[in-house]
Structures are given as structure tokens and as C-alpha cells.
């Protein structure tokens, strides 16, 4: 009855592909009122080892290679190579946990 797209752009792409069904934006994701820099808790960040000048980069999901862990690890290496101060936070378990821990040894 209806196609749900995660963004307006994706909806436009679906229509360009000829999807005849009504395409509605399904707004998922982050609550920007709750999760914004004004709500930052420096004590919590410091407790996890995140420096005040570091960007927190998170992965939340099952730790399996199909989730693109290799791409995520490569992106983190790029950040490091470019001198971007960051701390990686990982929430999840899975069969690739040990592999991922070797790829991203500084993650919390």
C-alpha cells in the first residue's frame, strides 16, 4: 500500500526508478532535541576516556562483518591518519568481536 523511504532524496530516487506506489518519508534516527551538543555530559565522556577535544564515533549493532565492520574500521584509520582526534565507542556482540577488537584496538 505504501513505500517508506528513510529520506526525501531516497524517495525521489525510488520515484525516478518508476516505483508507482506512494512513497512516504519514514523519519527514523536521532532525536535532535535530546541528542545535541548542548546536552553533552563531559563527566560521562571523561569516564569513558573521551577527551574534551575528541569526537565520539559510535558503532551500535551486531558485530558481524556483513554490517560493514571493515568499512567502519577503514574510516577510523582514515580519521587517525588525518589527525582527527576521536574515540570509538562500540556497543554490540557477535562472531566478529575479536576480529573487530584487533582492527580497532583503542575502542571502548
Amino acid at each position: 500500500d505504501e513505500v517508506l523511504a528513510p529520506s526525501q532524496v531516497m524517495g525521489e530516487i525510488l520515484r525516478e526508478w518508476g516505483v508507482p506506489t506512494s512513497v512516504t518519508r519514514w523519519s527514523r534516527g536521532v532525536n535532535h532535541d535530546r541528542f545535541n551538543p548542548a546536552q553533552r555530559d563531559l563527566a560521562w565522556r571523561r569516564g569513558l576516556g573521551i577527551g574534551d577535544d575528541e569526537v565520539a564515533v559510535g558503532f551500535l549493532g551486531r558485530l558481524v562483518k556483513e554490517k560493514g565492520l571493515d568499512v567502519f574500521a577503514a574510516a577510523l584509520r582514515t580519521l587517525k591518519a588525518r589527525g582527527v582526534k576521536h574515540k570509538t565507542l562500540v556497543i554490540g556482540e557477535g562472531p566478529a568481536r575479536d576480529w573487530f577488537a584487533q582492527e580497532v584496538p583503542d575502542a571502548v
Side-chain angles (χ1 to χ4, degrees), residues 26-59:
W26 178 31
S27 182
R28 321 173 275 160
V30 177
N31 176 331
H32 294 279
D33 292 328
R34 184 172 180 190
F35 297 99
N36 69 60
Q39 301 291 340
R40 183 169 290 158
D41 182 339
L42 292 178
W44 178 83
R45 289 170 55 92
R46 291 172 185 153
L48 290 172
I50 305 168
D52 293 356
D53 61 343
E54 290 181 310
V55 174
V57 180
F59 180 90

Side-chain angles (χ1 to χ4, degrees), residues 59-63 89-94 97 100:
F59 180 90
L60 170 65
R62 188 158 185 265
L63 298 178
L89 308 174
V90 179
I91 301 170
E93 286 290 339
R97 185 181 195 285
F100 195 52

Side-chain angles (χ1 to χ4, degrees), residues 69-101:
L69 293 178
D70 56 339
V71 175
F72 187 77
L76 296 172
R77 285 191 294 275
T78 299
L79 289 176
K80 186 173 186 174
R82 291 182 179 177
V84 177
K85 294 181 179 183
H86 67 283
K87 187 68 168 182
T88 306
L89 308 174
V90 179
I91 301 170
E93 286 290 339
R97 185 181 195 285
D98 292 340
W99 175 87
F100 195 52

Side-chain angles (χ1 to χ4, degrees), residues 7 13-14 20 22 35 63-64 83 89 102 106 108:
S7 69
I13 290 170
L14 290 170
S22 171
F35 297 99
L63 298 178
V64 292
L89 308 174
Q102 289 178 358
D106 298 328
V108 173

